[in-house]
Amino acid sequence: MTGFLKLLFRNRLAGLGAVILAVIVVIAVLAPLLPLQPPDITDTARRFLPPLSEGHLLGTDHLGRDQLSRLLWGTRLSLAVGFAAAVVAAVIGSAIGITSGYFGGRIDNLMMRGVDMLMAFPYILLALAIVAALGPGLTNALIAVAVVNIPFFARNIRGVTVGLAGREFIDAARLGGKGHLGIILTELLPNVMPVIIVAMSTTIGWMILETAGLSFLGLGSQPPQADLGSMLGEARGALITNPWTSIIPGLMIFFIVMSINLLGDGVRDALDPRLKSGALSRPQARTMQKFTDFADQPQKGLLDLQKLETQFHVGKRVYKAVNQVSLHIEPGECLGIIGESGSGKSVTALSIMGLVASPPGVITGGAVKFEGRNLLDLPFRELRDMRGRRIAYIFQDPLATLHPLYTVGDQMAEAITVHSGTSRADTRRRALELLKTVRIPNAERRLDNYPHELSGGMRQRVGIAMALCNEPDLIIADEPTTALDVTVQAQILALLADLRRERGLSIMFITHDFGVVGQLCDRVAVMYAGRIVEEGPTAQVLETPAHPYTRRLIASVPELGGGKRELVSIPGLPPAMDDLPPGCAFAPRCHRAQDSCRSGAVPNRRTGPRAVRCHFPEASETEAAHA
Ligand code: ADP
Ligand code: MG
């Protein structure tokens, strides 16, 4: 509950709505206790007094009645009627919806056709007809408003119920011997309750307006009783001469309906579990940047990350997902980034083009140099133009990244035309050429296939082809083979190696598998808890790993034909990114760790092409043995 309120108030507008509504409701509820003048006493000698007149704070109306008193009593009545109508409509509508959704078949048909009949009339007309039949009066207005809103609830709730009624937990309840009523009340109702509450919170405002509308037409509250609609209706004649008499109830209606709608939207968002983890907003087009530290050194290679820092700010917590990462890639080089899952590899890759979802992602420091310019500094238009054209991404699961409703050809065409205005025929020819480049058999036919018609390996080939569409200089491949089986993985790796040779591509290859790194990468960077802990040419790192973490990572790779060697796992767990230890993050799991490892940052030591972030690297031991 407190979680819900917190979430609700994180949305400023919903919070504002809640506060305004609370103030209005409290005043309306307390109206009988306030020192107000009687609302219905006329005093024609003192009619149309302006606001702030003596004794009448908001002035008087055309019969000399106190406006303030009528306003508060009227608000009280309007709120009560609107709320009552909403409850009646919700209860009856939901009952109809649940019943017809649960039983289905003929009952469903019968009930829904009845509801359809109600819906066939324009609802204001229907409400007018009902009041005309029942006679004017507030109670009848309430009935009319409730009735015209029943279909809305019935339809909504039926839809949700149909989806729930076929689920296993309903079957289980039935198998357990529960009756229909029991199932509806204890299994279905709790599940549709959030939908009912949301539907109510977003419609109460409407119902208040509709009731006010009927009163305005003289069909709701009858004189001398005041509600907001009848106050407006009576003030109509003096709209020009004494606008205050209309403006005051008008403003009140505005504030009530606006605050209810803001609050209703907030409630809807706060009840949506998908929004719980993130903030209540869509990710921005580019990762947010808040700089505390600005690295700026001359660029090395094609792409140069300099002390890049990306964090996730969730409430008061700060997750340091990427911590002062420095890396560079030469033209035509393949750099591997390896580490356990959660070590920050994907966030590093996404930070380059500002693709980390924000909120909660924030780039807090460093530089990303490409072609002599800092991508973090680039205007958004230029950055967007570079995305996919100069630097392209390949992701782990191509089924998730390909659009399920478009053919492969259409999607490739889109990727091509975003960056170049070529003709349709040309685009198709180019797409075909690319599919052939990635060795897809029957490329012509495949062009018209949908993603679900292709196998995993084929889909990943399409993913690679799409990355190649605009002849990028650098491809960032984020675990592109993790979802594939070994034979297909080998094919994809061979394909990437070929493409790199043929086109002089640079590749940043992210993986958690040292076997894959060994096959493809020239250099490898080992990542642990958001930091690069070791870096060097692949062969050297595999031969003589310097960081204890690297060594253990290599030792945990199974070897084919290596006999029944016991696989060594790394004891302990990676640290939580929002609570990193002060010294080396690996120290708690390291067999070589000394006290000095646990306090103070560990510097990166560079010797030739190798670099290691460790006080007691493994290699020094072997060197010592050799000496
Ligand atoms: P991987 O190395 O497996 O690709 P990621 O780069 O995806 O790891 O994630 C690195 C870390 O970033 C995770 O351990 C997690 O703590 C943090 N992280 C990622 N996304 C979020 C998020 N939306 N909110 C908070 N923390 C996140
Ligand atoms: Mg990842």
Side-chain angles (χ1 to χ4, degrees):
M1 190 64 203
T2 50
F4 169 77
L5 286 181
K6 233 196 218 156
L7 214 56
L8 185 63
F9 278 88
R10 186 162 345 138
N11 180 345
R12 296 266 161 76
L13 285 176
L16 180 72
V19 170
I20 295 179
L21 187 65
V23 170
I24 294 176
V25 167
V26 166
I27 294 179
V29 167
L30 294 183
L33 304 178
L34 298 177
L36 295 171
Q37 309 203 8
D40 300 334
I41 300 293
T42 57
D43 180 4
T44 34
R46 308 191 51 179
R47 56 204 292 261
F48 288 133
L49 286 184
L52 301 180
S53 305
E54 201 209 326
H56 300 285
L57 198 58
L58 292 181
T60 56
D61 69 359
H62 64 294
L63 295 176
R65 296 174 293 195
D66 183 54
Q67 281 270 71
L68 178 64
S69 168
R70 284 182 77 72
L71 183 75
L72 296 190
W73 282 97
T75 303
R76 190 178 151 89
L77 200 60
S78 287
L79 282 178
V81 172
F83 189 74
V87 170
V88 172
V91 169
I92 299 181
S94 307
I96 294 177
I98 290 191
T99 315
S100 92
Y102 173 70
F103 289 105
R106 192 171 299 164
I107 296 183
D108 181 29
N109 231 324
L110 218 70
M111 289 180 125
M112 280 305 119
R113 292 306 79 78
V115 165
D116 287 347
M117 261 153 60
L118 273 185
M119 282 183 109
F121 298 96
Y123 66 63
I124 275 294
L125 211 61
L126 183 62
L128 286 176
I130 294 173
V131 179
L134 298 177
L138 207 48
T139 322
N140 293 344
L142 189 158
I143 295 173
V145 170
V147 168
V148 298
N149 280 289
I150 285 176
F152 171 77
F153 284 93
R155 283 236 156 249
N156 254 341
I157 303 305
R158 176 188 170 271
V160 183
T161 312
V162 166
L164 291 168
R167 296 267 287 273
E168 285 80 357
F169 71 94
I170 302 288
D171 292 342
R174 216 173 273 147
L175 286 173
K178 258 190 197 166
H180 290 316
L181 191 65
I183 292 180
I184 287 179
L185 289 183
T186 59
E187 308 286 331
L188 281 174
L189 192 60
N191 279 294
V192 294
M193 209 57 196
V195 185
I196 300 178
I197 292 175
V198 167
M200 251 180 93
S201 62
T202 44
T203 46
I204 287 186
W206 277 110
M207 302 211 197
I208 290 177
L209 271 186
E210 285 160 15
T211 323
L214 289 177
S215 292
F216 180 83
L217 298 175
L219 300 172
S221 79
Q222 298 300 309
Q225 193 181 38
D227 83 342
L228 294 175
S230 64
M231 283 179 76
L232 263 185
E234 286 166 5
R236 192 172 27 169
L239 183 61
I240 306 295
T241 47
N242 293 287
W244 278 110
T245 49
S246 304
I247 289 175
I248 289 168
L251 275 181
M252 187 53 115
I253 293 179
F254 169 76
F255 279 118
I256 292 176
V257 175
M258 183 199 67
S259 63
I260 290 180
N261 284 351
L262 289 179
L263 181 63
D265 282 352
V267 168
R268 187 193 56 211
D269 290 349
L271 282 177
D272 188 336
R274 282 168 301 179
L275 297 169
K276 267 196 187 123
S277 49
L280 284 166
S281 54
R282 268 184 212 102
Q284 301 170 1
R286 176 188 200 163
T287 309
M288 212 152 57
Q289 303 187 353
K290 261 191 223 146
F291 273 91
T292 48
D293 167 33
F294 196 86
D296 200 7
Q297 269 129 37
Q299 181 178 347
K300 263 193 290 186
L302 174 73
L303 175 77
D304 192 9
L305 308 189
Q306 301 172 348
K307 295 192 174 170
L308 183 67
E309 267 183 38
T310 307
Q311 308 181 338
F312 291 97
H313 294 183
V314 182
K316 287 204 183 72
R317 296 182 167 222
V318 174
Y319 296 81
K320 294 185 176 167
V322 176
N323 206 345
Q324 303 246 334
V325 164
S326 297
L327 281 176
H328 75 277
I329 302 180
E330 298 291 342
E333 187 186 35
C334 178
L335 172 74
I337 299 184
I338 188 166
E340 283 167 292
S341 86
S343 53
K345 308 181 297 291
S346 296
V347 177
T348 306
L350 292 174
S351 301
I352 294 172
M353 284 265 136
L355 290 169
V356 179
S358 192
V362 190
I363 295 179
T364 51
V368 177
K369 289 294 192 73
F370 184 76
E371 296 185 325
R373 297 206 286 172
N374 186 357
L375 296 187
L376 300 182
D377 254 354
L378 231 49
F380 178 64
R381 285 177 58 98
E382 285 180 51
L383 181 73
R384 193 176 61 188
D385 183 56
M386 281 206 178
R387 288 179 179 170
R389 194 170 62 83
R390 310 305 310 277
I391 300 182
Y393 286 83
I394 305 171
F395 293 103
Q396 175 175 338
D397 180 8
L399 191 56
T401 39
L402 292 175
H403 195 299
L405 300 184
Y406 290 109
T407 62
V408 165
D410 284 346
Q411 298 190 50
M412 293 184 67
E414 189 186 7
I416 296 171
T417 41
V418 164
H419 291 292
S420 64
T422 41
S423 77
R424 247 189 99 75
D426 275 351
T427 324
R428 193 173 165 89
R429 203 170 316 122
R430 175 118 183 79
L432 191 63
E433 200 178 290
L434 283 165
L435 286 191
K436 286 186 181 148
T437 315
V438 295
R439 325 265 193 275
I440 287 190
N442 277 332
E444 250 118 307
R445 280 232 314 279
R446 291 301 182 201
L447 223 42
D448 296 318
N449 277 158
Y450 290 92
H452 67 268
E453 297 174 307
L454 305 177
S455 69
M458 284 297 159
R459 281 200 289 266
Q460 195 53 287
R461 282 170 198 266
V462 172
I464 296 173
M466 284 179 76
L468 292 175
C469 276
N470 298 292
E471 314 206 318
D473 306 277
L474 171 69
I475 286 192
I476 300 176
D478 191 349
E479 311 212 23
T481 58
T482 305
L484 306 174
D485 56 63
V486 247
T487 46
V488 180
Q489 164 169 323
Q491 292 169 0
I492 296 286
L493 291 180
L495 172 65
L496 283 173
D498 286 351
L499 289 174
R500 189 184 138 208
R501 209 168 334 103
E502 289 164 16
R503 306 183 163 229
L505 269 177
S506 301
I507 300 180
M508 180 189 272
F509 195 93
I510 297 174
T511 177
H512 56 251
D513 185 346
F514 250 116
V516 173
V517 169
Q519 282 178 49
L520 190 67
C521 301
D522 307 307
R523 251 178 346 118
V524 60
V526 183
M527 204 159 179
Y528 185 76
R531 282 180 180 274
I532 303 292
V533 294
E534 176 159 11
E535 192 194 316
T538 311
Q540 288 185 27
V541 172
L542 281 172
E543 185 95 346
T544 54
H547 199 284
Y549 175 65
T550 317
R551 215 187 82 169
R552 297 209 156 210
L553 212 55
I554 293 173
S556 61
V557 176
E559 243 175 286
L560 265 189
K564 278 199 183 164
R565 176 169 70 95
E566 200 183 326
L567 287 181
V568 241
S569 65
I570 308 176
L573 291 171
M577 297 291 222
D578 59 334
D579 188 20
L580 291 174
C584 170
F586 188 61
R589 301 168 79 186
C590 181
H591 65 292
R592 301 170 71 95
Q594 315 267 329
D595 283 343
S596 56
C597 297
R598 296 192 182 92
S599 60
V602 184
N604 208 20
R605 282 187 210 152
R606 193 166 276 282
T607 37
R610 309 263 321 244
V612 60
R613 193 183 287 279
C614 183
H615 286 313
F616 309 103
E618 307 261 356
S620 57
E621 207 166 68
T622 39
E623 274 161 21
H626 282 296

